[in-house]
Amino acid sequence: MRVSGLRQGRIRAAAAIVLAILVVGLPGTAAAASPPKLDAKAWTLIDPRDDSVLAAKAANKRLPIASATKLMTAYLALHELRPNQMVTAPAYRPSNPAEIRLGLRPGERMRVRDLLYGLLLPSASDAAETLAVAVAGSVPAFVNQMNQTAQRLGLADTSYANPIGLDDPDNYSSAHDLVTLASILLRNRLFARIVDTQSATLASGDHPRTVTSRNTLLGRAPWINGVKTGHTLGAGFVLVGSGTRGSTTLISAVLGTPSEYARDQSTLELLDYGFSLYHPVQPVTQGAELASPALDYRDHHLPLVAERALPVTVREGERVSTRVSAPDEVSGAVRQGQALGRVTVMVDGRRAAVSPLVAAHAVGAATTLDKVISTAQNPIVLIALAAIVILVGLLLMIRGRGSRQAETPGPPVREDPPRSARQRTPEERRRMHEERMRRRRQRIEREEGT
């Protein structure tokens, strides 16, 4: 579908002017602060819409990542298993007493969805191993699959030695690779919902279990919505975080912080800095008329308006535009508020927000009279009718001319004299005259004698 007409052109031109003003900048917008200095070995902050790096330090340095390893465990479980699938827990032997566990009994059956909550909220090691065995059949086979997937996703600074995140020289990643993997995972609705949950009750298994997220920022800042913590002696404190303000989501990773407080504070400072680079704009207001398709068989148009406002947040220099999709013509009856199109706000060519376009008022269907008048005014119909009239006139003219020709007598036909009369010589004509005179005298003599 597309929108056409002079009215749409004027509307779009006005919108383009407004958007140009918005892109240049808003009066009184404060300059963004400098990137923070964090108490961490490495960090990075990205905008997942275009993978722009907003701040970073040693982002590609290979470091232990502790339970952030479980992000890849979750990735494979989400892709290889069904959320409601029941799987059997193997016997699990922890490597040290400090490991978090759900306390799964060997042979206990639990739903994959509940195991994912146990994996991502309290970071349970037995949940990780149960999912690994369910996906690949054994832990070594699963680790091999983890590394193959890391290569396929382009995580060049990542290596896995176990599905849990236990300290191992071959188990490492980088801040850059962690935010890349988190960006991919957050596109999965189930994953995004789990990591934005503070606590949950797991109903499957031998008995209900209540689990709580170790990401304490979820309750501290309402705009924080993920993602995963990690801690070992070798890795220090790790946090892959995410937050959303307005229409913008940012993802961060801090590695090697000395304490849980430093981990949380560094994440907040990093995300706060990132959001300071953005300012809000509203290219589409609620009720704005953005299209007016024609009504079938009538010389009227139906205004289509935005059902809701579309505010977005953009960085300095980003281009904001709108894309309208609506029919050229509307057929039949339409009720007020009926959705007949949509408007999309684009930020640097990426879709940022969408609203339906709805009818500003109700209209009835075209009447029979509307259809007759519209058909009579159609240039194509008029040309066809004129051609038919001309053709009929020509046929009648030709027929009348043929009838007159059949009724009018033609000129008399002159007969040629006998060929013998034209061929007699003067001598023959004299003899014939004498013969006629002789016969005449004989007739007179007979009459007198009688």
Side-chain angles (χ1 to χ4, degrees):
M1 296 185 295
R2 64 183 188 280
V3 178
S4 61
L6 180 60
R7 193 172 188 181
Q8 274 65 42
R10 291 173 178 171
I11 292 172
R12 290 179 176 176
I17 295 173
V18 173
L19 295 179
I21 295 173
L22 294 175
V23 171
V24 170
L26 296 177
T29 300
S34 300
K37 295 180 180 179
L38 307 179
D39 189 8
K41 292 181 180 179
W43 69 79
T44 192
L45 175 69
I46 68 165
D47 184 338
R49 292 181 299 187
D50 58 359
D51 295 327
S52 297
V53 177
L54 307 181
K57 174 190 174 182
N60 296 104
K61 185 176 182 179
R62 298 177 176 181
L63 293 169
I65 58 171
S67 288
T69 298
K70 294 183 175 74
L71 291 177
M72 180 59 78
T73 304
Y75 177 89
L76 289 173
L78 287 165
H79 281 76
E80 302 295 333
L81 304 173
R82 300 184 306 276
N84 290 323
Q85 182 177 340
M86 300 293 290
V87 298
T88 302
Y92 179 71
R93 291 181 293 274
S95 60
N96 65 72
E99 286 186 45
I100 304 296
R101 290 170 289 165
L102 293 178
L104 296 176
R105 175 185 59 81
E108 184 176 355
R109 292 178 61 76
M110 181 170 273
R111 190 173 285 109
V112 169
R113 184 191 306 272
D114 286 346
L115 287 170
L116 286 169
Y117 273 96
L119 175 79
L120 296 168
L121 270 60
S123 199
S125 297
D126 51 355
E129 186 156 312
T130 299
L131 290 170
V133 173
V135 169
S138 68
V139 171
F142 184 77
V143 171
N144 184 55
Q145 195 168 343
M146 293 173 76
N147 287 309
Q148 290 178 351
T149 304
Q151 293 180 4
R152 179 172 58 82
L153 296 178
L155 309 181
D157 300 310
T158 297
S159 172
Y160 297 106
N162 57 76
I164 298 169
L166 304 174
D167 284 335
D168 189 291
D170 292 328
N171 201 92
Y172 57 81
S173 188
S174 66
H176 170 271
D177 285 1
L178 286 176
V179 295
T180 299
L181 180 56
S183 175
I184 296 171
L185 279 165
L186 285 170
R187 299 170 194 165
N188 183 287
R189 293 183 179 180
L190 176 57
F191 177 87
R193 183 165 62 250
I194 292 174
V195 298
D196 193 21
T197 302
Q198 294 186 53
S199 65
T201 299
L202 314 182
S204 62
D206 290 347
H207 57 84
R209 295 173 170 91
T210 298
V211 295
T212 303
S213 175
R214 300 183 68 82
N215 184 3
T216 55
L217 288 182
L218 287 175
R220 181 176 171 184
W223 47 270
I224 293 289
N225 50 22
V227 176
K228 185 72 185 74
T229 64
H231 173 248
T232 62
L233 292 177
F237 290 85
V238 176
L239 175 55
V240 181
S242 68
T244 301
R245 293 182 184 175
S247 63
T248 300
T249 295
L250 303 180
I251 302 175
S252 64
V254 293
L255 281 66
T257 61
S259 66
E260 185 175 290
Y261 173 81
R263 175 200 74 186
D264 290 354
Q265 194 63 27
S266 296
T267 299
L268 285 176
E269 290 181 18
L270 197 55
L271 289 169
D272 276 333
Y273 164 74
F275 287 120
S276 73
L277 303 177
Y278 293 77
H279 59 267
V281 297
Q282 188 166 290
V284 176
T285 58
Q286 185 178 18
E289 181 182 340
L290 299 177
S292 57
L295 297 176
D296 61 338
Y297 301 108
R298 288 157 285 181
D299 293 329
H300 301 287
H301 291 77
L302 175 63
L304 301 183
V305 300
E307 185 178 53
R308 57 178 176 269
L310 296 180
V312 295
T313 52
V314 296
R315 294 196 308 271
E316 188 69 25
E318 287 187 317
R319 183 178 58 86
V320 180
S321 60
T322 57
R323 181 180 298 169
V324 174
S325 177
D328 290 326
E329 185 178 79
V330 175
S331 302
V334 177
R335 67 181 183 277
Q336 183 178 5
Q338 181 176 339
L340 294 173
R342 67 180 180 274
V343 55
T344 304
V345 175
M346 313 291 291
V347 177
D348 273 357
R350 303 179 308 274
R351 187 174 70 175
V354 180
S355 171
L357 292 180
V358 299
H361 56 78
V363 294
T367 64
T368 302
L369 180 60
D370 290 330
K371 296 178 181 180
V372 171
I373 294 175
S374 176
T375 302
Q377 293 175 345
N378 191 324
I380 297 177
V381 174
L382 293 175
I383 293 172
L385 289 174
I388 293 173
V389 170
I390 294 172
L391 180 60
V392 170
L394 289 174
L395 292 174
L396 292 174
M397 185 183 298
I398 294 171
R399 183 177 179 181
R401 182 178 299 174
S403 299
R404 288 194 300 272
Q405 289 178 351
E407 295 172 358
T408 304
V413 180
R414 186 182 62 179
E415 295 182 358
D416 293 335
R419 183 175 180 83
S420 57
R422 290 196 303 270
Q423 294 178 351
R424 288 172 183 162
T425 63
E427 180 63 25
E428 289 175 337
R429 288 196 294 273
R430 184 183 63 79
R431 289 178 182 176
M432 290 179 63
H433 178 69
E434 290 178 351
E435 178 64 23
R436 284 196 298 273
M437 291 304 292
R438 184 183 64 78
R439 291 177 181 173
R440 185 177 179 182
R441 284 194 302 270
Q442 290 178 351
R443 188 175 65 251
I444 291 173
E445 288 177 354
R446 282 195 302 270
E447 289 176 354
E448 290 177 351
T450 305

